[in-house]
Amino acid sequence: MNKLSNTFDIVIEQSFDFLSPEYAELFDRSAATAFQHPVWLHSLYTRLAPETGAIPLVVVVRHRATGALAMVLPLLRIQRGPLRTVEFADLRVSDYLAPVCSPDAFSQLLDDAAACAQIRRLVRPFDLLRMVKLPDTRLPIEDLLAASRRVAMDTNAYATVLVAPFEQWRASTLDRSYQKELAKKRRQLEKKGALSFSCCGDSASVLEALDVMRKFRGPRFHAQGDGDLLQRPEYYGFYSDVALRGLGSFVRLYAMKMDGEVIAAVLGLCHRGSFLVIMSAFDIAGYKSQSLGALMFEQVARDCIERGDQMLDFTIGDEPYKKLFGGQPSPMWAVTQAGSAAGAIALFALTQAPWLKLAAKRLSDLRLQPARNPTPTR
């Protein structure tokens, strides 16, 4: 007979309210990332999950004595080809994934064998458990789910430490020759018309910038052969909803304009003194030689420093421009576990034959195509 925990009540709540005050309180005291923010997960579960066929699998853990939330594990059931997978709530839009829980509460759960066993039963059945984009080892999800030891992914995340004033950060972070190059590019750009940079402050400017981002990103990603999520209505709706709900607090959308027309934009999330870049777009066709991307990120860094941010996080991807801005690599981790014979075969094939990773990726992306931040044009 399966023994239940004497300390925790553990259930699956498919319709969990991520905008509830109790979740906001849990999130604030947790070690979660910006991609488990109430606004982010609310939009992901209500907008993206239904459109992509993903089924919510939200593990909710409460302290039995008080009823207070101890942990929320935001997962999804996704059918990828013949395989039934259980994954973090990602759907190709999130960069860092983690349980929503404080380190102390997580340790208490790990010490409760009955609670761990109950959680493991609730997430089954699956052919493959896939936990990717794990930023660190503070909350060892593999121990909670009795999965295999985590392994490093083949890509890193990059972030640069910000120091005030901006001029000091620029001088200590950017190569001297690169500073001169950007100054030259900016002078060239200013000669073309009235140049301005701002952070969108109302819904009209947000929607204007997002529309322009969709226009700029479409041809470029189509040429690269991997498509762009902003071209898909459900994903455009997701990013619009997040941007409008989080405007002025959780989200910043920067725009650079020439004679009043948006020529570059950067969308990002604000979390605990960091600004996390999640999407950018530039009018490369109209300004091929002006390094719009680099000039834009220079201005983003300036604004972040003036706001008191301590970190500019370029998130996942090994694009060379991130190092030019002082980005330091951080490893990303993945945990996988087979839950059936079919899952074991798939997992073995992926680890033994690297070329199959590409085939598996294409299979998994039949409905969920990837989107990465483009490298700023130099």
Side-chain angles (χ1 to χ4, degrees), residues 330-353:
S330 298
M332 302 302 297
W333 304 90
V335 169
T336 56
Q337 184 76 3
S340 68
I345 293 172
L347 189 56
F348 176 80
L350 289 176
T351 57
Q352 296 299 315

Side-chain angles (χ1 to χ4, degrees), residues 12-305:
I12 298 295
E13 293 188 21
Q14 285 189 319
S15 300
F16 181 80
D17 183 5
F18 286 97
L19 295 181
S20 64
E22 65 170 353
Y23 181 74
E25 181 182 349
L26 175 69
F27 177 78
D28 286 343
R29 67 173 189 267
S30 76
T33 80
F35 299 98
Q36 289 80 55
H37 188 279
V39 168
W40 189 267
L41 286 183
H42 170 79
S43 294
L44 190 149
Y45 275 103
T46 59
R47 286 181 170 269
L48 284 186
E51 293 291 339
T52 58
I55 300 174
L57 178 63
V58 184
V59 180
V60 178
V61 181
R62 298 178 183 276
H63 294 283
R64 177 165 297 175
T66 64
L69 283 176
M71 182 183 76
V72 172
L73 194 56
L75 306 177
L76 292 168
R77 294 191 186 278
I78 302 177
Q79 190 74 30
R80 296 195 179 276
L83 297 179
R84 300 167 302 169
T85 69
V86 167
E87 311 174 13
F88 263 117
D90 177 6
L91 298 179
R92 312 302 291 181
V93 297
S94 301
D95 279 79
Y96 305 141
L97 301 170
V100 185
C101 185
S102 71
D104 287 344
F106 196 84
S107 295
Q108 293 174 25
L109 277 168
L110 290 182
D111 290 338
D112 189 330
C116 291
Q118 191 173 353
I119 291 171
R120 294 163 192 168
R121 289 193 299 270
L122 287 174
V123 301
R124 289 179 178 273
F126 58 79
D127 295 312
L128 199 61
L129 178 74
R130 300 173 69 245
M131 301 290 176
V132 298
K133 303 180 184 177
L134 305 175
D136 53 45
T137 59
R138 284 181 296 171
L139 304 180
I141 189 70
E142 60 269 39
D143 294 343
L144 184 69
L145 298 176
S148 302
R149 183 178 179 182
R150 66 179 58 199
V151 298
M153 297 178 65
D154 58 3
T155 186
N156 298 296
Y158 290 80
T160 182
V161 175
L162 300 175
V163 179
F166 169 74
E167 290 72 19
Q168 179 181 335
W169 173 82
R170 190 176 189 269
S172 62
T173 303
L174 276 63
D175 181 81
R176 186 181 297 273
S177 62
Y178 194 46
Q179 295 179 48
K180 293 180 178 179
E181 179 184 345
L182 292 184
K184 178 182 177 181
K185 298 289 187 182
R186 182 174 180 84
R187 290 194 296 270
Q188 293 174 350
L189 193 59
E190 289 172 340
K191 292 179 181 179
K192 292 180 175 290
L195 185 67
S196 65
F197 172 86
S198 64
C199 184
C200 297
D202 55 55
S203 58
S205 60
V206 165
L207 294 177
E208 176 192 23
L210 285 173
D211 282 341
V212 173
M213 291 181 79
R214 177 167 53 180
K215 181 182 71 173
F216 289 158
R217 288 170 64 90
R220 182 172 188 183
F221 280 86
H222 179 75
Q224 293 177 353
D226 59 2
D228 172 50
L229 293 183
L230 271 189
Q231 311 309 310
R232 300 172 61 177
E234 66 272 25
Y235 280 89
Y236 183 82
F238 165 78
Y239 285 113
S240 299
D241 188 53
V242 167
L244 293 174
R245 286 178 180 271
L247 184 63
S249 56
F250 173 54
V251 176
R252 284 185 219 146
L253 179 51
Y254 292 103
M256 181 179 286
K257 295 184 178 182
M258 176 65 71
D259 294 331
E261 299 293 328
V262 177
I263 60 173
V266 170
L267 176 66
L269 309 179
C270 311
H271 184 63
R272 293 175 182 166
S274 294
F275 180 71
L276 297 84
V277 177
I278 59 173
M279 188 173 293
S280 55
F282 318 104
D283 184 3
I284 298 173
Y287 301 88
K288 291 182 178 180
S289 304
Q290 268 65 58
S291 301
L292 274 187
L295 291 175
M296 186 66 175
F297 281 121
E298 187 180 40
Q299 293 303 307
V300 168
R302 179 193 291 273
D303 186 77
C304 288
I305 290 171

Side-chain angles (χ1 to χ4, degrees), residues 3-19:
K3 183 179 179 181
L4 300 181
S5 170
N6 293 321
T7 307
F8 299 100
D9 289 322
I10 307 168
V11 297
I12 298 295
E13 293 188 21
Q14 285 189 319
S15 300
F16 181 80
D17 183 5
F18 286 97
L19 295 181

